[in-house]
Amino acid sequence: MTWKPNRTEKRTLFDQIRAWIVEQIEDGHWSNGMRLPSQRKLAEQFGVNRSTIIQVLDELKAEDVIESRQGSGVYVKPRGWDFVLRQQTLDWHQRIKQSAYKVNAQTIQLINEYEALPTTVRLGTGELSPELIPQTALLKSFSELTLTNQELGYSEPLGSLHLRNTLTSYLERRGIVTKPNNILIVSGAVQALQLLSLGLLETGTSITTEAASYIHSIPSIPSVSFQASNKKTMYYTIPTLSNPTGKILTLEERKRLVERCSVNHMPVVEDDVYSELTFDGAPPALKSFDRAGQVLYIGSVSKCISPGIRVGWLVGPESVVRYLADLKMQLDYGTSAISQQLVAQWLNSSYFYEHIYNLRASLKKRADFTEAILQKTVGDIAEWESSKGGFYIWLRIKQPVVTKSLFLALLKQNILINPGYIYKPNDYHYVRVSYAYCTLDELKRGLIMLANEVKKRFI
Amino acid sequence: MTWKPNRTEKRTLFDQIRAWIVEQIEDGHWSNGMRLPSQRKLAEQFGVNRSTIIQVLDELKAEDVIESRQGSGVYVKPRGWDFVLRQQTLDWHQRIKQSAYKVNAQTIQLINEYEALPTTVRLGTGELSPELIPQTALLKSFSELTLTNQELGYSEPLGSLHLRNTLTSYLERRGIVTKPNNILIVSGAVQALQLLSLGLLETGTSITTEAASYIHSIPSIPSVSFQASNKKTMYYTIPTLSNPTGKILTLEERKRLVERCSVNHMPVVEDDVYSELTFDGAPPALKSFDRAGQVLYIGSVSKCISPGIRVGWLVGPESVVRYLADLKMQLDYGTSAISQQLVAQWLNSSYFYEHIYNLRASLKKRADFTEAILQKTVGDIAEWESSKGGFYIWLRIKQPVVTKSLFLALLKQNILINPGYIYKPNDYHYVRVSYAYCTLDELKRGLIMLANEVKKRFI
């Protein structure tokens, strides 16, 4: 803190100090929730009267940038985009407001932000823990990668043919018989969802899905639960290890779902990214029962190898797939050739299968450990289904106390939860607990703190 | 051709044969422009009367799937999405029509399609020739890649901090002084453009650009040339080695442009992806003159290392960059961690600088070679500016003969050109010749055939 206002500058001391403080906050030097130095210290540092400091702080309080907390000083206020954007000379803020694009909800922005801090205990993160990522094998396989000069160029619209050929065999594991021309390589499953939303939804219509669904957490993809029959929608589901509920549809339920959608000429989007992670297997994919070309199937390696690879796939009728490929070419000209080659190499070798075998066992241990702790800490005030695989336990608290205030209270203690209302709007009973990311020690500590905060709010 | 209709099947012979032919075309076994076997041969193969064949062919002609050409038989008709999509059981076609997304123009679809065929001479491809891609060094660097388990996870919204730190030094080459928090890593420059279009353009407004501009070739990004002052637009330009014109703005022009846009509070999008490829250098980036935070700067390694890497960057005010990062998280959850690490490694080592040094020399040789051929073949009927670097010569034919018909005529001879009207709508004088992709031999052959076709059309 060696900066001082410049008395020879045109701007007033007030303006300079205000701008400097805003800069500290904008640049992240003063983080959300940080306590500001005292008025006396600031006055000393800047070489100005305390009254100037008081004036600046009042202004910043009025602007919602900082806040007083009784008896304990002045703090940087947790903030959304609104504040940050107001500061621009050019009116970027106005432009952003006028665009059709919807930003992530503040809860999700905070999740993205706090996930980047090493001190955060990430109790809800839907991602493999660093210790579960097969780093050694991945680094080894990098050195074995071969790509021709052609493959290092722009890829063809559908993506690497080598990878698509590999996937036609790989997908037989899920009961899916398909051809390379029915497969579009994407940069992760979420890109596939965006392609469907941008390319196949009429403006003003939404994707239909379950009450609790991952897709509700992506604000730029319009989605609703259980809407009245509308021929212009499509049905999104994760039939195997649903995010967030962890459910696996039975064979009967799968057949019925495909049949019902077939009768209604309703496309089905099957998100199958967790299917490698079942503890006791799962029925074949919905896509395997698809005779009318109406199931669009999505897979990815993000949940089972490493999300940093950013490779997924979409399987559907050739014409639809080619149309979406055209859209993808406009969005990003294809997926990283290196990542595509790496995935083909893994799926064609023992790397993948050995890793998956070990990963399932590790996840099962983590799930058991977590359920034992849940039993001890919230056994009396919550309920859940025993995990069948994947990452999540969809914890239902018996009273609706999982509010934003609970989320923020835990955040102050460096505990980051994924509250259920992100996935199931307007329902405050749930927490999506992930046993995949934290260390066991963090899981224990985090769940105890979660239990404490929850119990405080019980009536 | 061993298929025969099945006489025990419910469908008529007519239906079976029609469906089989459509399948050959849809699956690409019978390619656009292919001549069909004679009626006699088809009747023999299928074991049916010639009259059935005639009926089927008539039907397919009526459906615009095939066409007769006088005296030379029946051919597969070059087709757009329309035909292919009509074939679906579920009415995908209707859904696609109703989405807001615009497909690539047919010329661009054909370019994307023909680029994938090994026999095509790609006279306009904006991509390094396989022989110019530093494959050996890239493969070597794969084996030197190190990524921590954390880096193999989901990246933070702005992208790899290691790469962003690297870029702050690298960008000083272009006169840009910035910080890691002002940089968003993207999956290639085109993704940056999509983020700007989706995130900062109000519905119904367009990006303003030059009459001839790369951005006109992306239908899903609304753009217009020289529109009347409209505060809601932004100005897109490639000031260094413009695609397609090859122009480099002078220092004076750069300063004037930034100043003019500053007065009008107009954001400027500076696409700088070719700047490493100048033969005699270029003035500093527009961004280096930006005092008001209104220039959004875009760079990439696609044009100077390899497009398969899919890594670019966008530099701007932190709040705008963070907002676009939020959008990118929704679109694809970040760029391949492997690709990001590779780029950081290259920019931090001699790999990059040695490669660029050699690449410039190779491109210069190719440019000189190409201009010598142009002089011989179209010296009398065309004009162009000598190349200052990059990939392109913006060839102006003295008569407006560069029509879709010229494009298709050359395509039949396996010569793929990028006609100027893709980049400069409604102007039929130009061809974007790329000397970067073909072999020298193909360049010579292709340009001679281009000259022939052009001259045929001269009045």
Side-chain angles (χ1 to χ4, degrees):
Chain A
M1 297 242 300
T2 54
W3 178 86
K4 274 181 198 306
N6 177 352
R7 286 176 186 267
T8 64
E9 213 191 289
K10 269 191 206 160
R11 289 187 303 166
T12 62
L13 292 176
F14 174 93
D15 279 346
Q16 290 183 54
I17 293 171
R18 184 191 163 287
W20 185 83
I21 292 180
V22 165
E23 204 187 315
Q24 302 319 297
I25 297 173
E26 267 211 278
D27 289 359
H29 304 311
W30 291 10
S31 59
N32 286 356
M34 190 196 94
R35 184 174 164 177
L36 267 65
S38 69
Q39 295 175 359
R40 193 179 47 77
K41 273 203 181 157
L42 288 172
E44 262 176 31
Q45 186 207 332
F46 300 151
V48 300
N49 286 334
R50 212 165 137 182
S51 64
T52 309
I53 300 295
I54 293 175
Q55 261 187 302
V56 170
L57 297 185
D58 282 346
E59 166 77 12
L60 289 173
K61 280 176 208 166
E63 288 180 12
D64 256 11
V65 176
I66 57 175
E67 60 184 354
S68 292
R69 294 191 201 149
Q70 215 151 22
S72 76
V74 179
Y75 291 78
V76 177
K77 222 177 158 171
R79 67 225 140 86
W81 290 112
D82 261 29
F83 157 66
V84 181
L85 296 171
R86 266 206 318 268
Q87 311 305 318
Q88 298 306 318
T89 324
L90 176 74
D91 200 353
W92 287 111
H93 187 211
Q94 196 52 32
R95 285 171 184 271
I96 288 171
K97 278 217 162 155
Q98 282 161 348
S99 95
Y101 160 69
K102 285 193 186 159
V103 294
N104 272 314
Q106 204 215 343
T107 301
I108 296 174
Q109 286 184 22
L110 286 170
I111 291 175
N112 287 339
E113 191 175 322
Y114 275 77
E115 281 185 344
L117 303 180
T119 49
T120 309
V121 173
R122 297 161 61 172
L123 221 47
T125 297
E127 178 179 348
L128 290 177
S129 164
E131 71 181 56
L132 296 178
I133 287 183
Q135 186 212 18
T136 313
L138 281 170
L139 292 186
K140 185 154 173 287
S141 63
F142 289 160
S143 63
E144 294 162 5
L145 274 187
T146 51
L147 281 122
T148 63
N149 296 43
Q150 273 77 9
E151 287 167 332
L152 286 162
Y154 285 107
S155 96
E156 49 186 308
L158 293 180
S160 151
L161 180 60
H162 175 43
L163 177 55
R164 286 183 288 127
N165 277 325
T166 301
L167 284 169
T168 54
S169 315
Y170 170 71
L171 288 168
E172 288 173 13
R173 284 162 71 84
R174 302 292 298 128
I176 298 170
V177 177
T178 189
K179 287 185 283 186
N181 280 354
N182 294 93
I183 302 176
L184 169 63
I185 306 299
V186 291
S187 305
V190 75
Q191 184 176 64
L193 296 178
Q194 287 286 354
L195 293 174
L196 299 178
S197 170
L198 290 169
L200 293 172
L201 270 188
E202 189 177 350
T203 312
T205 62
S206 303
I207 292 178
T208 303
T209 185
E210 290 101 342
S213 173
Y214 162 64
I215 212 167
H216 291 311
S217 72
I218 312 172
S220 61
I221 299 182
S223 65
V224 291
S225 321
F226 302 122
Q227 66 186 344
S229 164
N230 171 353
K231 288 224 165 174
K232 289 175 178 169
T233 186
M234 40 187 150
Y235 187 74
Y236 171 83
T237 185
I238 306 179
T240 303
L241 296 172
S242 161
N243 175 4
T245 68
K247 286 222 170 78
I248 298 182
L249 292 192
T250 64
L251 185 66
E252 256 327 292
E253 287 168 331
R254 283 166 201 250
K255 286 183 178 166
R256 223 168 30 234
L257 176 60
V258 172
E259 170 135 8
R260 206 170 56 233
C261 289
S262 173
V263 170
N264 294 315
H265 300 290
M266 162 108 74
V268 180
V269 180
E270 175 177 28
D271 185 342
D272 204 34
V273 299
Y274 296 97
S275 62
E276 289 289 356
L277 305 178
T278 56
F279 298 150
D280 302 302
L286 297 180
K287 181 75 186 157
S288 71
F289 307 109
D290 177 30
R291 296 285 162 269
Q294 73 184 122
V295 176
L296 301 175
Y297 175 89
I298 297 172
S300 156
V301 299
S302 299
K303 303 300 179 189
C304 56
I305 307 179
S306 143
I309 298 172
R310 308 307 312 127
V311 169
W313 45 88
L314 184 146
V315 184
E318 180 170 348
S319 51
V320 177
V321 161
R322 285 202 183 275
Y323 163 78
L324 296 173
D326 178 286
L327 172 47
K328 176 163 162 71
M329 287 297 269
Q330 294 190 46
L331 286 183
D332 67 5
Y333 265 121
T335 291
S336 162
I338 308 163
S339 290
Q340 291 188 68
Q341 196 74 2
L342 181 76
V343 171
Q345 186 184 332
W346 271 61
L347 296 181
N348 278 321
S349 72
S350 59
Y351 281 131
F352 182 71
Y353 301 96
E354 277 172 22
H355 162 66
I356 289 292
Y357 180 84
N358 296 328
L359 178 59
R360 277 198 209 111
S362 305
L363 287 173
K364 175 67 175 139
K365 262 189 219 154
R366 284 170 163 263
D368 292 346
F369 175 85
T370 302
E371 288 186 50
I373 294 176
L374 287 176
Q375 202 56 57
K376 277 189 213 148
T377 53
V378 292
D380 49 340
I381 54 161
E383 50 202 5
W384 65 92
E385 278 182 36
S386 198
S387 172
K388 298 187 178 68
F391 297 173
Y392 311 119
I393 291 171
W394 185 230
L395 187 69
R396 184 180 189 278
I397 311 289
K398 290 180 183 167
Q399 292 186 15
V401 296
V402 187
T403 57
K404 190 157 171 190
S405 130
L406 177 80
F407 169 77
L408 292 173
L410 284 163
L411 207 53
K412 271 187 201 145
Q413 302 163 62
N414 287 323
I415 306 296
L416 181 62
I417 61 165
N418 285 34
Y421 61 77
I422 303 175
Y423 310 103
K424 192 177 182 198
N426 306 315
D427 189 336
Y428 301 96
H429 285 90
Y430 293 91
V431 180
R432 186 187 81 174
V433 174
S434 163
Y435 50 79
Y437 191 81
C438 290
T439 62
L440 296 188
D441 197 54
E442 286 174 330
L443 266 170
K444 189 169 172 182
R445 190 152 53 88
L447 289 174
I448 290 173
M449 286 161 90
L450 170 65
N452 287 344
E453 281 297 330
V454 162
K455 282 179 182 166
K456 269 193 215 165
R457 285 165 171 79
F458 255 57
I459 304 162
Chain B
M1 297 246 298
T2 54
W3 179 87
K4 274 182 197 306
N6 178 351
R7 286 176 185 267
T8 65
E9 214 190 288
K10 269 191 205 161
R11 289 185 305 166
T12 61
L13 291 176
F14 174 94
D15 279 345
Q16 289 184 54
I17 293 172
R18 184 191 162 287
W20 185 83
I21 293 181
V22 165
E23 204 188 315
Q24 302 319 298
I25 297 174
E26 268 211 278
D27 289 358
H29 304 309
W30 290 10
S31 60
N32 286 355
M34 191 197 93
R35 184 174 164 174
L36 267 63
S38 69
Q39 294 173 359
R40 192 180 45 77
K41 276 203 179 155
L42 288 172
E44 264 175 29
Q45 187 207 333
F46 300 151
V48 299
N49 286 333
R50 208 164 139 184
S51 63
T52 310
I53 300 293
I54 293 175
Q55 262 186 301
V56 171
L57 296 184
D58 282 346
E59 166 76 12
L60 289 173
K61 280 177 208 164
E63 288 179 11
D64 255 13
V65 175
I66 56 175
E67 59 184 354
S68 292
R69 296 195 200 146
Q70 212 151 24
S72 76
V74 179
Y75 291 79
V76 177
K77 222 178 159 171
R79 67 222 142 86
W81 291 112
D82 261 31
F83 158 66
V84 181
L85 296 171
R86 265 205 319 266
Q87 311 304 318
Q88 298 307 315
T89 323
L90 176 75
D91 199 352
W92 287 112
H93 187 210
Q94 196 52 31
R95 285 169 184 273
I96 288 172
K97 278 219 163 153
Q98 281 160 349
S99 96
Y101 160 69
K102 288 192 183 158
V103 295
N104 272 314
Q106 203 216 346
T107 300
I108 296 175
Q109 286 183 24
L110 287 169
I111 290 175
N112 287 338
E113 190 177 320
Y114 275 77
E115 281 185 345
L117 303 179
T119 48
T120 309
V121 173
R122 297 161 61 173
L123 222 46
T125 296
E127 180 179 347
L128 290 176
S129 164
E131 72 181 55
L132 297 179
I133 286 184
Q135 186 212 18
T136 313
L138 280 170
L139 292 185
K140 184 153 174 287
S141 62
F142 290 161
S143 64
E144 294 163 5
L145 273 187
T146 53
L147 280 121
T148 64
N149 296 44
Q150 274 77 10
E151 286 166 334
L152 286 163
Y154 285 109
S155 98
E156 48 186 309
L158 294 179
S160 151
L161 180 60
H162 176 43
L163 176 54
R164 287 183 286 129
N165 276 324
T166 301
L167 284 168
T168 54
S169 316
Y170 170 72
L171 288 168
E172 289 173 12
R173 284 162 72 85
R174 301 293 298 130
I176 297 171
V177 177
T178 190
K179 286 184 281 185
N181 281 354
N182 294 94
I183 302 175
L184 169 63
I185 306 301
V186 291
S187 305
V190 76
Q191 184 177 62
L193 297 178
Q194 287 287 355
L195 291 174
L196 299 178
S197 169
L198 291 170
L200 294 172
L201 271 188
E202 190 177 349
T203 312
T205 62
S206 303
I207 292 178
T208 304
T209 186
E210 290 101 341
S213 172
Y214 162 65
I215 211 165
H216 291 312
S217 71
I218 312 172
S220 61
I221 299 182
S223 64
V224 292
S225 320
F226 301 121
Q227 67 187 342
S229 165
N230 171 353
K231 288 221 166 180
K232 288 175 180 170
T233 186
M234 41 187 149
Y235 187 75
Y236 171 83
T237 184
I238 306 178
T240 303
L241 296 172
S242 162
N243 174 6
T245 67
K247 286 225 169 75
I248 298 182
L249 291 192
T250 64
L251 184 65
E252 255 328 293
E253 286 168 331
R254 282 165 202 250
K255 286 183 179 167
R256 221 165 35 230
L257 176 59
V258 173
E259 170 136 6
R260 206 169 55 233
C261 289
S262 172
V263 170
N264 294 316
H265 300 289
M266 163 109 72
V268 180
V269 180
E270 175 177 26
D271 185 341
D272 204 35
V273 298
Y274 295 98
S275 62
E276 289 289 355
L277 306 178
T278 56
F279 298 151
D280 302 302
L286 296 180
K287 181 73 185 159
S288 71
F289 307 109
D290 177 28
R291 295 287 160 268
Q294 74 185 119
V295 177
L296 301 175
Y297 175 90
I298 296 170
S300 157
V301 299
S302 299
K303 302 302 177 187
C304 54
I305 306 179
S306 144
I309 299 173
R310 307 307 312 129
V311 169
W313 43 89
L314 184 146
V315 184
E318 181 170 346
S319 51
V320 177
V321 160
R322 284 201 184 276
Y323 163 78
L324 296 172
D326 179 285
L327 172 48
K328 176 162 163 72
M329 286 297 270
Q330 294 189 48
L331 287 182
D332 68 4
Y333 266 120
T335 291
S336 162
I338 309 163
S339 290
Q340 291 189 67
Q341 197 74 2
L342 182 76
V343 171
Q345 186 184 332
W346 271 61
L347 296 182
N348 277 321
S349 73
S350 59
Y351 281 132
F352 182 71
Y353 301 96
E354 277 170 22
H355 162 66
I356 289 293
Y357 180 84
N358 295 329
L359 178 59
R360 277 199 211 111
S362 306
L363 287 172
K364 176 69 175 140
K365 262 189 218 151
R366 284 169 162 264
D368 291 345
F369 175 86
T370 303
E371 288 185 52
I373 294 175
L374 287 176
Q375 202 56 55
K376 278 190 210 144
T377 52
V378 291
D380 49 338
I381 54 159
E383 51 203 2
W384 65 90
E385 277 182 38
S386 198
S387 172
K388 298 185 178 70
F391 297 172
Y392 311 118
I393 291 172
W394 185 230
L395 188 69
R396 184 180 189 279
I397 312 290
K398 289 180 183 167
Q399 292 186 16
V401 297
V402 187
T403 58
K404 190 158 172 188
S405 128
L406 177 78
F407 169 78
L408 292 173
L410 284 162
L411 206 53
K412 272 188 202 145
Q413 302 164 62
N414 288 323
I415 306 295
L416 180 63
I417 62 165
N418 286 35
Y421 61 77
I422 302 175
Y423 310 103
K424 193 177 182 196
N426 306 316
D427 188 337
Y428 301 96
H429 285 90
Y430 292 91
V431 180
R432 187 188 82 173
V433 173
S434 164
Y435 50 79
Y437 192 81
C438 290
T439 62
L440 296 187
D441 198 53
E442 286 174 331
L443 265 170
K444 189 170 173 181
R445 189 153 53 88
L447 289 173
I448 290 170
M449 287 162 89
L450 170 66
N452 288 344
E453 281 297 331
V454 163
K455 281 178 184 166
K456 271 193 213 164
R457 285 164 171 79
F458 256 57
I459 304 160

